[in-house]
Amino acid sequence: MTDEAAAFVPGHVTGFFSAHPDEDSSIAGSRGAGVALSHGVDVRVVRGSDGNDVGVTLNGDPIDVAPVAAVLDDLDASDARVVAETPLPLGAGFGVSGAMALGTAYAVNAAYGRSRSENELVGLAHAAEVEAGTGLGDVVAQARGGLPIRLEPGAPEHGRLDGIPASPRVEYISFGSVSTEDVLSGDTSTLTAAGERALADLRAEPTTDRLVELSRRFAREADLLTDRVADAVAAVRAEGGDAAMAMLGDTAFAFGDGLSSAGYDPEVCAVHPTGATLRPPRLDRFER
Amino acid sequence: MTDEAAAFVPGHVTGFFSAHPDEDSSIAGSRGAGVALSHGVDVRVVRGSDGNDVGVTLNGDPIDVAPVAAVLDDLDASDARVVAETPLPLGAGFGVSGAMALGTAYAVNAAYGRSRSENELVGLAHAAEVEAGTGLGDVVAQARGGLPIRLEPGAPEHGRLDGIPASPRVEYISFGSVSTEDVLSGDTSTLTAAGERALADLRAEPTTDRLVELSRRFAREADLLTDRVADAVAAVRAEGGDAAMAMLGDTAFAFGDGLSSAGYDPEVCAVHPTGATLRPPRLDRFER
């Protein structure tokens, strides 16, 4: 047990999804598929900070994130200081709130010696995210890494995952936010029907090309496509590539060099094959 | 689709286990817990080699590995050349045969464009390993990475995993081989009872300290402890550390600096937080 611990959680872009609400937040969740990103969120937790230092910051600024507060409460760590850093924009479809909740769970568990298993920590963060209305499937995907396919919704004791075995380069560009809460609190029957179709088609051919194609189709069928993402997708397709929209943000993503070939100046990262991980305490002592 | 692809699969040391045979090799498997290692197996597959180059090599030498042959057969890739490289010893409890089978499945899928999902590839490699009698649980653990706890046996559609959230340094020293086939084909009732007790205790407190302690206890209760590992464990404990035996090999492992503090000259690596992964085709194009 140390007084301080740090975790890294990959960002996650959902390409398509279906919503599966339930009164039990560990059963509630989403089916769908997406991409875990090497761009993610570093979360450092300091135990027993004095009153002035208690609280949560993101990139240096104080912030209220409901799922993080819920995780701190669940793990009895109200005197924690949570310091999160990320290059990803908040509210733009990268799962930053889920990553903060999951990273807080891993780091608090280590700093406070709570002796929870990974499934228990993922379950806490998933339930916190569902109850806050900020996401349905990012947490379990971020706990897995890679190109997660969410076969069954819910926390690890209920959900079931698969993945696409690939390691493509990823490009993305964000134009702004879409409110996850607004979409999830409205009528989700159309998007859920579209998401279930896309999942069945992806399972028949689990490749990155199909993931982008089905995600592009989903955004239109679910009536979620923004004008700027529609323009970006059209530009990428005109160059022979393919692109889709991040659920839920005014954000376009593509594999390979789709966006840059179309004249955009995207962020570039990799698929992150690893799920959320506790940072080794002293990396210099490792020989890899 | 390319004509060549490569995968990396972490080594895996099982600390304790219970055996759960079944006529259906995707249901058969083991419960237990272990450690995925940053020392692992690189597997490169070249498609459609000419007659002279077909076959499997490990560290440059031709080798027959039954689970690899079965995977090649399942994926209709009899003209593949499989080139495996590892710093780990074979038959000493590091899951090298499982890693070769799993790495072959991932690399063949990419090189031959077979469009299988990760669960499907893991399931193929798991069934091949079970049918060959060379292992029961390494493949699913190696597909997950980290410190895997195997809650339910079997391939991904049947099995269930959890993990210990930690990133310790790992030391190991191998004195020789133990035949997995001989142990698994004998009476496994004693070891299975000991393994089930250890699993229940680890689930109550999923930490690295408990994993080593319960693994040490298991080796003795299951009557599998070798003299040289017993000596190493005693020496580590005399220095205030703890160590256990790799199932199944004449191999001792410890976290932190347990073995080196006791005067041994161990190999040193890290927990590998990532499961089996396809190598990115052109790493120089990634910005991480």
Side-chain angles (χ1 to χ4, degrees), chain B residues 42-60:
Chain B
D42 276 294
V43 181
R44 189 163 59 88
V45 164
V46 184
R47 180 180 187 174
S49 304
D50 65 38
N52 294 331
D53 278 343
V54 169
V56 181
T57 61
L58 177 64
N59 294 341

Side-chain angles (χ1 to χ4, degrees), chain A residues 52-283:
Chain A
N52 293 332
D53 277 344
V54 170
V56 181
T57 61
L58 178 63
N59 294 341
D61 297 320
I63 186 171
D64 282 322
V65 182
V68 171
V71 165
L72 290 174
D73 194 50
D74 286 339
L75 291 173
D76 192 18
S78 57
D79 64 344
R81 182 174 168 218
V82 179
V83 180
E85 305 275 346
T86 185
L88 297 168
L90 191 64
F94 294 98
V96 172
S97 64
M100 289 182 69
L102 187 54
T104 299
Y106 271 62
V108 164
N109 183 67
Y112 288 72
R114 292 294 184 246
S115 299
R116 304 293 180 96
S117 76
E118 293 191 335
N119 286 1
E120 288 169 331
L121 298 171
V122 175
L124 282 182
H126 172 80
E129 175 92 323
V130 167
E131 282 162 26
T134 46
L136 284 174
D138 282 325
V139 168
V140 295
Q142 289 168 317
R144 184 190 188 281
L147 294 150
I149 304 173
R150 307 193 299 280
L151 301 175
E152 297 297 341
E157 72 265 37
H158 301 288
R160 207 158 61 88
L161 296 163
D162 197 350
I164 300 170
S167 305
R169 166 188 157 117
V170 182
E171 293 189 348
Y172 65 85
I173 187 164
S174 186
F175 307 108
S177 295
V178 168
S179 168
T180 300
E181 291 89 332
D182 287 354
V183 172
L184 295 185
S185 64
D187 177 6
T188 56
S189 57
T190 302
L191 79 81
T192 288
E196 296 279 14
R197 281 195 298 276
L199 181 60
D201 289 348
L202 185 67
R203 293 189 71 175
E205 190 185 349
T207 65
T208 51
D209 283 353
R210 282 296 269 170
L211 173 60
V212 178
E213 178 193 343
L214 294 166
S215 297
R216 170 168 51 77
R217 191 179 79 185
F218 170 82
R220 196 172 294 279
E221 291 179 358
D223 201 21
L224 291 167
L225 192 64
T226 65
D227 291 343
R228 284 178 290 198
V229 173
D231 288 347
V233 168
V236 171
R237 297 191 75 196
E239 296 296 320
D242 205 352
M245 178 174 155
M247 298 294 147
L248 287 156
D250 195 357
T251 297
F253 72 95
F255 295 124
D257 56 5
L259 285 160
S260 50
S261 290
Y264 286 90
D265 183 24
E267 303 297 323
V268 180
C269 65
V271 170
H272 193 66
T274 318
T277 39
L278 202 64
R279 292 279 195 201
R282 284 163 296 187
L283 197 62

Side-chain angles (χ1 to χ4, degrees), chain A residues 167-169, chain B residues 2 278-284 286:
Chain A
S167 305
R169 166 188 157 117
Chain B
T2 55
L278 202 64
R279 293 279 194 203
R282 283 162 297 184
L283 197 62
D284 55 323
F286 285 69

